[in-house]
Each structure stands twice: as structure tokens, then as C-alpha cells.
């Protein structure tokens, strides 16, 4: 079945620095790659997503890049702020009868003020 | 607020018991997904319904079942509960065909004692 690996598992940065989280997937048919932010005890919140026909997408301080050949995609957060501290999950889905998400194992991002 | 609602927020019950978790999708969304989040297994897909019909199953135990009603709300039934079933249970909803974004509800925290 589909496997999604996410690295690093923890990431600590200084406020204002950039943070990068990377995910690799195994199913080359995957075509949708969302990123979720989850604060402690809260719901996963969709922050950005990318589809397989696009290589990069930006939304203010966050961006996602996709390399379909290498089967990996990354989340980039610039000018980090303490409120960016959370667990970030990548996910993948493939076209078909279902759009179920297969999640990575999560990255705990800590932004030090 | 994602527009997805879940009840109850917390549930504490004993081993062997049966519980029902409820989810109401965003207005207009036809798909409901159930996910389980535990410390050791991460976020795992359980089951999906689309417009009242089961669409896909993940690693859902036989003790667990779900349904989606004509008003599109969904219920997840967990029976013969074990300690290992303690987890956060999220539902997510998405729109019709071609709509990939999934929006999560606030979750139900189940504690089995």
C-alpha cells in the first residue's frame, strides 16, 4: 500500500528563520498533496495543498514544492513566528473512487522567540 | 472553524462497552471520512462514505462500523471496546466529485478504562 515518510520528526528554529519539512511517497499514481497544521488537542487544519500538475504553490509565508519524478514534496515556512509552533502533517491521495488521505508521521515544529 | 461538527467532545467508557460518535459535514459536502489518531499509529484512515454509500475502507476493525444518513450526517459505532481503542477520532468532509480538500471536525477524544 501507499507509504508516506516525513522528516524531520522534530524541528526547532529561531523566530524569523525558515523551516523546511519533507515528505516522500511510494505510489507514483498519487496526485494530491495537502499539508495540515495541528495544534495540541485541536483538529488538523488544511494550510496548503498542491496537485500533481503543479510544481510549486505559495500562500504568503508558506509554500509547497513537488518533485513527481523523485516522489517527494516539501513544506517551506519563511519568517517563522511563535504561532507557527505546531505539528505539521503531510498527506497524499490518489485518483479513484476514494480520495482517502494517507498521512505522514508528523513534524513537531518549535519556533523559539 | 471548519464547518464540520462532531459530538461528543470527550467520551470516557469502560472496556467491553459500545459507543457512537457523530459527525455533521460542512453544508453541501457529500463525503465523510473517519480517521483515528493515536500516539503510536498516527493519523489513520478508517472509512469513507459518499452520499450515503460506503466508498472505501481502511484499517477499520470488525468491531467498528459506520453509516451515513440521508441528511448526510455520519455515525461511527465502536463496540467491544478495548484499552487500545483510546484515541482521537476525527471526521472530515469534502464536496462532490473532483473536490479533494478535506476539512476536519474538532474530534472526539475516546478514553477506554
Amino acid at each position: 500500500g501507499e507509504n508516506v515518510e516525513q522528516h524531520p520528526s522534530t524541528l526547532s528554529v529561531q523566530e524569523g528563520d525558515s523551516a523546511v519539512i519533507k515528505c516522500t511517497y511510494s505510489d507514483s499514481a498519487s496526485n494530491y498533496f495537502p499539508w495540515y497544521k495541528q495544534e495540541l488537542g485541536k483538529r488538523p487544519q488544511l494550510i496548503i495543498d498542491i496537485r500533481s500538475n503543479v510544481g510549486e504553490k505559495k500562500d504568503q509565508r508558506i509554500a509547497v514544492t513537488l518533485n513527481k519524478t523523485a516522489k517527494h514534496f516539501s513544506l517551506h515556512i519563511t519568517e517563522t513566528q511563535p504561532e507557527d509552533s505546531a505539528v505539521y502533517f503531510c498527506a497524499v491521495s490518489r485518483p479513484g473512487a476514494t480520495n482517502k488521505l494517507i498521512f505522514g508521521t508528523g513534524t513537531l515544529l518549535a519556533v523559539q522567540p | 472553524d471548519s464547518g464540520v461538527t462532531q459530538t461528543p467532545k470527550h467520551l470516557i467508557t469502560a472496556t467491553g462497552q459500545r459507543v457512537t460518535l457523530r459527525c455533521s459535514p460542512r453544508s453541501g459536502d457529500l463525503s465523510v471520512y473517519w480517521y483515528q489518531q493515536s500516539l503510536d499509529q498516527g493519523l489513520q484512515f478508517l472509512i469513507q462514505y459518499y452520499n450515503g454509500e460506503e466508498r472505501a475502507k481502511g484499517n477499520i476493525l470488525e468491531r467498528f462500523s459506520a453509516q451515513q444518513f440521508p441528511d448526510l450526517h455520519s455515525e461511527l459505532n465502536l463496540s467491544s471496546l478495548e484499552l487500545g481503542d483510546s484515541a482521537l477520532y476525527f471526521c472530515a468532509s469534502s464536496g462532490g466529485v473532483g473536490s479533494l480538500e478535506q476539512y476536519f471536525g474538532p474530534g472526539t477524544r475516546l478514553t477506554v478504562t
Side-chain angles (χ1 to χ4, degrees):
Chain A
E2 173 69 271
N3 184 48
V4 181
E5 292 188 4
Q6 183 172 345
H7 298 281
S9 57
T10 60
L11 180 58
S12 182
V13 300
Q14 290 297 123
E15 183 177 358
D17 287 351
S18 295
V20 181
I21 304 168
K22 182 175 176 178
C23 286
T24 58
Y25 59 97
S26 58
D27 187 350
S28 57
S30 298
N31 71 338
Y32 176 62
F33 310 90
W35 285 89
Y36 285 84
K37 174 185 180 182
Q38 187 178 28
E39 296 174 358
L40 188 62
K42 305 283 181 143
R43 64 184 176 90
Q45 180 184 1
L46 179 63
I47 56 171
I48 196 167
D49 58 9
I50 194 167
R51 302 194 183 203
S52 60
N53 57 345
V54 177
E56 183 176 3
K57 184 177 178 180
K58 283 185 182 178
D59 183 3
Q60 299 181 9
R61 294 186 299 108
I62 60 174
V64 55
T65 58
L66 171 65
N67 184 328
K68 281 216 78 180
T69 303
K71 291 190 283 188
H72 67 70
F73 58 111
S74 300
L75 177 70
H76 305 254
I77 306 174
T78 59
E79 301 171 24
T80 54
Q81 301 167 2
E83 51 264 40
D84 294 330
S85 298
V87 178
Y88 291 81
F89 291 94
C90 64
V92 303
S93 76
R94 59 177 296 172
T98 177
N99 294 320
K100 68 180 183 184
L101 294 175
I102 306 299
F103 283 89
T105 48
T107 296
L108 175 59
L109 174 64
V111 180
Q112 310 296 332
Chain B
D1 185 4
S2 65
V4 180
T5 61
Q6 287 186 250
T7 56
K9 277 190 174 182
H10 303 278
L11 204 46
I12 302 174
T13 189
T15 54
Q17 295 297 305
R18 172 189 167 93
V19 297
T20 297
L21 313 183
R22 182 188 169 103
C23 167
S24 291
R26 295 187 315 161
S27 177
D29 281 0
L30 301 177
S31 273
V32 170
Y33 304 78
W34 286 96
Y35 294 89
Q36 179 193 59
Q37 185 174 37
S38 59
L39 283 174
D40 56 342
Q41 296 290 323
L43 265 164
Q44 297 240 321
F45 167 73
L46 293 177
I47 196 164
Q48 178 203 358
Y49 279 81
Y50 177 81
N51 202 20
E53 299 289 326
E54 181 184 303
R55 185 58 67 92
K57 268 187 174 180
N59 296 325
I60 187 167
L61 300 171
E62 284 192 14
R63 301 183 284 108
F64 296 1
S65 64
Q67 51 184 331
Q68 186 178 26
F69 294 87
D71 68 351
L72 301 178
H73 91 270
S74 178
E75 293 180 356
L76 180 67
N77 302 296
L78 316 176
S79 62
S80 303
L81 285 168
E82 302 175 359
L83 296 178
D85 297 327
S86 296
L88 262 171
Y89 291 85
F90 289 102
C91 80
S93 75
S94 68
V97 175
S99 175
L100 300 179
E101 297 84 1
Q102 293 186 28
Y103 297 93
F104 280 70
T108 293
R109 181 173 294 280
L110 173 66
T111 303
V112 182
T113 61

